C-alpha cells in the first residue's frame, strides 16, 4: 500500500507540475505577444491562491512519496501538519472555484483548459483522497487549525493591499485583482460584497481545516484510531 501511494503521489506531482508550467508558459507567451511586462506577469501569477496552494500541494506530495519509500512508520509530525495545510488550501480552492468562478468566462487563448481543471478539480480531489486513505498520517492537535489559517490571512491582506497598485501586465491598467469577487469595482455592493466573500472564504478555510484535523484524530490511513490514541504534538 505504501509503494502504491508513493507511485500515485509521484504521478500526481508530475501532472500538477505540468499544469502549473503549461499555464505559466501560456501566460508568458500571451503577455510577450501583447508587449507586456513578463516580470509583472510573474508576480501576478504567483499571487493567485490557486497557484500557491497547488505549488504547496505538489511539494507536499513529492516529499510524501519519498517518505513512503524510505520510512516504514508514521510521518514526522511537522510533515503531517504541512500536509494538512496543503489539503485545506486545495479543498478551499476547489470549493471556491466551483461555487464562485466556474461559470465566469475564461480569457480565450490565455487559459489552458486542461490545466485549469487539474489545478481546480483534480488536484484538490486527490489531496483529499490521499489525506483520507494514504498511510503515515499522525493525529494533530486542534490548535493546528490556527497555524493552517495563518497563510490565507497573510495572502488576503497582501492581496487587498497590493491590488490597488498592481497592474495588468499587458494593458497596464490598475487595479489588478487575482479574482473578480475581491474587486470592489466589479462586486455588486462594493467593499461590502468583498467583505462578505472574504468572510465566506475564511469560514470555508476554518471548516476545512477543522475537518482535516478531525479526520487525523479519528482515522489513520482509512482505519479508526484506538480510543486511547493521543494526538501528536504537531502544530
Amino acid at each position: 500500500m505504501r509503494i502504491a501511494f508513493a507511485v500515485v503521489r509521484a504521478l500526481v506531482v508530475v501532472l500538477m507540475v505540468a499544469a502549473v508550467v503549461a499555464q505559466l508558459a501560456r501566460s508568458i507567451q500571451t503577455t510577450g505577444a501583447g508587449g507586456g511586462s513578463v516580470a509583472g506577469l510573474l508576480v501576478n501569477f504567483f499571487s493567485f491562491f490557486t497557484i500557491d496552494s497547488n505549488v504547496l500541494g505538489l511539494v507536499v506530495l513529492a516529499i510524501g512519496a519519498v517518505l513512503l519509500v524510505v520510512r516504514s512508520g508514521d510521518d514526522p509530525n511537522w510533515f503531517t501538519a504541512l500536509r494538512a495545510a496543503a489539503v485545506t488550501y486545495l479543498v478551499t480552492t476547489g470549493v471556491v472555484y466551483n461555487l464562485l468562478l466556474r461559470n465566469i468566462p475564461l480569457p480565450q487563448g490565455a487559459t489552458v483548459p486542461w490545466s485549469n481543471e487539474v489545478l481546480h478539480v483534480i488536484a484538490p480531489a486527490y489531496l483529499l483522497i490521499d489525506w483520507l486513505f494514504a498511510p503515515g498520517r499522525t493525529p494533530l492537535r486542534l490548535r493546528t487549525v490556527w497555524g493552517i489559517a495563518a497563510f490565507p490571512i497573510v495572502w488576503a491582506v497582501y492581496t487587498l493591499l497590493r491590488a490597488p497598485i498592481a497592474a495588468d501586465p499587458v494593458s497596464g491598467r490598475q487595479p489588478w485583482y487575482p479574482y473578480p469577487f475581491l474587486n470592489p469595482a466589479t462586486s455588486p455592493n462594493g467593499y461590502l460584497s468583498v467583505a462578505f466573500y472574504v468572510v465566506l472564504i475564511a469560514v470555508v478555510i476554518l471548516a476545512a481545516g477543522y475537518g482535516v484535523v478531525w479526520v487525523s484524530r479519528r482515522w489513520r490511513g482509512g482505519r479508526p484510531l484506538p480510543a486511547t490514541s493521543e494526538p501528536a504534538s504537531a502544530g
Side-chain angles (χ1 to χ4, degrees):
M1 187 174 181
R2 295 180 69 88
I3 296 301
F5 268 102
V7 171
V8 174
R9 283 176 173 177
L11 292 174
V12 175
V13 167
V14 171
L15 180 62
M16 292 172 71
V17 169
V20 172
V21 171
Q23 183 55 65
L24 178 58
R26 177 68 61 83
S27 298
I28 291 174
Q29 180 184 32
T30 303
T31 300
S37 168
V38 173
L41 175 276
L42 290 174
V43 176
N44 286 358
F45 185 81
F46 288 102
S47 293
F48 282 96
F49 189 82
T50 294
I51 299 299
D52 298 337
S53 59
N54 272 273
V55 169
L56 176 62
L58 68 88
V59 169
V60 164
L61 288 181
I63 295 172
V66 173
L67 289 176
L68 286 176
V69 174
V70 302
R71 292 173 66 98
S72 58
D74 291 338
D75 294 333
N77 293 339
W78 64 265
F79 176 72
T80 299
L82 187 65
R83 185 179 162 203
V87 176
T88 300
Y89 302 158
L90 277 165
V91 167
T92 301
T93 294
V95 169
V96 171
Y97 174 77
N98 286 285
L99 285 181
L100 300 178
L101 301 171
R102 167 63 73 176
N103 296 320
I104 295 178
L106 299 173
Q108 295 299 313
T111 303
V112 181
W114 68 264
S115 171
N116 194 60
E117 291 302 306
V118 169
L119 300 178
H120 293 98
V121 180
I122 295 175
Y126 178 73
L127 264 290
L128 180 59
I129 292 171
D130 186 89
W131 181 256
L132 293 174
F133 300 109
R137 188 186 65 233
T138 55
L140 296 170
R141 296 188 185 278
L142 285 177
R143 67 187 185 198
T144 304
V145 175
W146 300 110
I148 291 173
F151 172 72
I153 292 172
V154 172
W155 177 86
V157 172
Y158 159 80
T159 298
L160 295 176
L161 291 178
R162 176 180 181 268
I165 60 173
D168 181 276
V170 176
S171 67
R173 289 195 298 267
Q174 294 176 310
W176 180 88
Y177 287 83
Y179 303 104
F181 57 82
L182 293 177
N183 187 347
T186 58
S187 297
N189 297 298
Y191 281 103
L192 183 61
S193 294
V194 172
F196 169 78
Y197 287 124
V198 169
V199 171
L200 176 62
I201 293 171
V203 170
V204 172
I205 288 173
L206 289 174
Y210 271 111
V212 165
V213 172
W214 182 87
V215 168
S216 79
R217 294 163 63 89
R218 295 294 181 272
W219 298 81
R220 177 174 294 170
R223 302 187 305 278
L225 286 168
T228 57
S229 289
E230 292 294 330
S233 60

